[in-house]
Amino acid sequence: MESYADRIERYAARWPRALDVVMVLALIGCASLGTQLSLPGTSTPDSGKPLEVMLGLSCFVLLKYRTHTRTVVVVVALVTVAAIARGYLLTPLLLAPLLAAMYWLAVLCDRRTVRAYAAVVAVALLTVNVASENIPDLSIVLTVIGPVFWLALPIVAGNMARLRRDYLESVQARAEHAERTREEEARLRVAEERMRIARELHDVVAHHLALANAQAGTAAHLARSNPEQSEKILNDLTGTTSSALRELKATLGLLRADDHPQGEGLEPAPGLARLPELIASYRSAGLGVTVTTEGEPRPLSPGADLTAYRIVQEALTNVSKHATSSHAHVRFTYADARLLITVSNDGPAAPTTAASGGFGLMGMRERANSIGGELCAGPRPEGGFEVTTALPLQPSAAVERETP
């Protein structure tokens, strides 16, 4: 429920000038009433109307407290000191305009300025009040402690208001910063997801289209000289296109997870268990592939398994598309906590995917880096091209959570 103070703040924010005018009118009434007070047995000083008019005008000066805070304090303090010097009783009513000026000084100015002005105003008031001959038999305690206490109240209240304002501003700034951070994090995650899906689509489309193209070319070449072999290759071509459609469906199905809340209808991500099927498809297209394994094979995490499969797939696709030789060698080396994969081919060096403007090598390197691995690729000294990657068998928990 909205409090009374909150209502005043909301009204002041919408109609600041109206509230200032009301404040000035109230202060004029307080100052006017303060000039009528006196101690028992004494009478108000006969100072005439000019001083009362000056007190009223000093209240109107408060309308400029937002832009000329220090000047307002000086003007109001001088008029108040002049009134006390003429013999008016120093009361909170007479001090009301000065107390309002000190409050806004504490709200709008730094602490050093507030302390300096408060000290000067207090010394001036106390000096004039003690030296006044028109206030007989007044206790020195009341003469000093009273005015100091009254001046301290608006300063304390102003400091509290300034601290509250600063606190609300800092809370709002933190909230805005948190909102910007969340938006940036969301944009970053969207960009990462788009890149991941782009890599998957590139691997699936590039591999199967290159393989289908090679199979179709081989079948056309053998159509007359070896019809049986040509028919077998065409049957393999059907399997290649079917596999491409299945993998595309599985990849794009990730974008429609709401249709398959439990993963129904989506085949699992490929891994090294499907390597024989992959090798067979390349052999049917005329690319001879040999596979060797060194060390004791160990299970890989799902992310590392998918990465290893995709890197071998992309490397063999590059061999079939760019290499001049018709043979490739894949070597797996299990050592310590890492799996070293090497895909190489013989013959003269051929243009690489990166050099020809593609994204194959870039995608392989990004895949390896995403699970904490490394990848390097380049021509071999003895001829041909080689892709070497080192993958951790069990990536760290933080990396594994980020790996699709």
Side-chain angles (χ1 to χ4, degrees):
M1 184 176 181
E2 188 178 27
S3 64
Y4 185 71
D6 294 334
R7 293 179 184 177
I8 294 178
E9 287 186 5
R10 182 164 53 85
Y11 184 83
R14 294 183 58 184
W15 310 99
R17 288 301 177 185
L19 195 64
D20 291 346
V21 171
V22 172
M23 176 190 68
V24 167
L25 294 178
L27 292 176
I28 290 175
C30 292
S32 177
L33 183 60
T35 59
Q36 307 301 318
L37 299 179
S38 61
L39 291 174
T42 62
S43 59
T44 57
D46 186 14
S47 59
K49 295 296 182 182
L51 188 57
E52 295 181 6
V53 172
M54 290 180 62
L55 282 172
L57 292 177
S58 69
C59 295
F60 281 102
V61 174
L62 285 166
L63 292 174
K64 294 292 184 180
Y65 72 86
R66 290 186 177 87
T67 57
H68 301 82
T69 309
R70 298 174 180 83
T71 303
V72 168
V73 172
V74 172
V75 172
V76 176
L78 290 176
V79 174
T80 305
V81 169
I84 297 173
R86 290 291 297 173
Y88 285 103
L89 183 63
L90 184 58
T91 62
L93 292 176
L94 187 68
L95 288 176
L98 180 59
L99 298 182
M102 296 301 296
Y103 171 81
W104 290 116
L105 180 73
V107 171
L108 300 175
C109 297
D110 58 277
R111 294 182 179 180
R112 183 176 180 181
T113 300
V114 173
R115 286 194 294 265
Y117 276 76
V120 173
V121 170
V123 170
L125 285 179
L126 295 178
T127 301
V128 173
N129 193 40
V130 172
S132 177
E133 297 178 355
N134 299 325
I135 308 178
D137 302 329
L138 189 63
S139 170
I140 189 64
V141 175
L142 296 179
T143 305
V144 175
I145 295 180
V148 171
F149 176 76
W150 296 329
L151 285 175
L153 285 178
I155 294 176
V156 172
N159 284 330
M160 293 178 62
R162 178 172 54 81
L163 292 175
R164 181 173 182 271
R165 181 196 62 193
D166 295 343
Y167 171 74
L168 293 178
E169 290 178 353
S170 65
V171 170
Q172 183 177 1
R174 287 197 298 269
E176 293 175 353
H177 176 71
E179 184 66 24
R180 288 194 301 269
T181 303
R182 284 195 296 269
E183 292 177 356
E184 293 174 358
E185 180 70 17
R187 286 195 295 268
L188 179 61
R189 290 187 176 276
V190 169
E192 291 177 349
E193 185 65 13
R194 290 176 60 186
M195 183 175 296
R196 185 187 70 82
I197 295 174
R199 285 199 301 264
E200 286 291 328
L201 290 176
H202 173 272
D203 291 345
V204 172
V205 174
H207 159 66
H208 287 96
L209 285 182
L211 185 58
N213 181 70
Q215 289 174 330
T218 304
H221 178 71
L222 298 176
R224 294 184 178 179
S225 60
N226 193 342
E228 294 181 358
Q229 183 66 20
S230 177
E231 183 179 358
K232 181 179 182 300
I233 294 176
L234 289 177
N235 292 332
D236 293 339
L237 177 59
T238 303
T240 300
T241 55
S242 299
S243 177
L245 291 175
R246 286 196 304 271
E247 291 201 32
L248 280 175
K249 181 180 179 181
T251 301
L252 297 178
L254 296 175
L255 302 177
R256 304 177 62 182
D258 54 332
D259 295 338
H260 304 278
Q262 302 298 328
E264 181 182 356
L266 301 181
E267 65 177 19
L272 292 182
R274 292 178 54 181
L275 187 62
E277 177 185 343
L278 180 68
I279 300 302
S281 65
Y282 280 104
R283 287 173 178 168
S284 68
L287 178 65
V289 182
T290 58
V291 180
T292 59
T293 302
E294 299 178 4
E296 182 181 356
R298 277 168 284 173
L300 280 70
S301 66
D305 197 21
L306 172 62
T307 300
Y309 178 85
R310 290 302 189 194
I311 289 176
V312 172
Q313 181 187 62
E314 179 63 26
L316 292 178
T317 300
N318 288 343
V319 171
S320 65
K321 290 170 58 178
H322 303 290
T324 58
S325 67
S326 59
H327 186 81
H329 182 69
V330 181
R331 183 172 67 253
F332 295 94
T333 303
Y334 292 86
D336 297 330
R338 301 180 75 83
L339 168 62
L340 183 66
I341 304 175
T342 303
V343 181
S344 59
N345 65 280
D346 301 325
T352 65
T353 307
S356 60
F359 298 94
L361 293 180
M362 183 188 303
M364 287 191 290
R365 188 170 288 108
E366 289 175 351
R367 281 188 178 276
N369 293 339
S370 68
I371 62 169
E374 299 175 354
L375 183 140
C376 60
R380 302 170 62 196
E382 61 273 22
F385 199 83
E386 183 175 81
V387 175
T388 303
T389 181
L391 303 178
L393 294 177
Q394 295 293 334
S396 62
V399 173
E400 185 67 19
R401 283 194 300 268
E402 298 176 359
T403 304

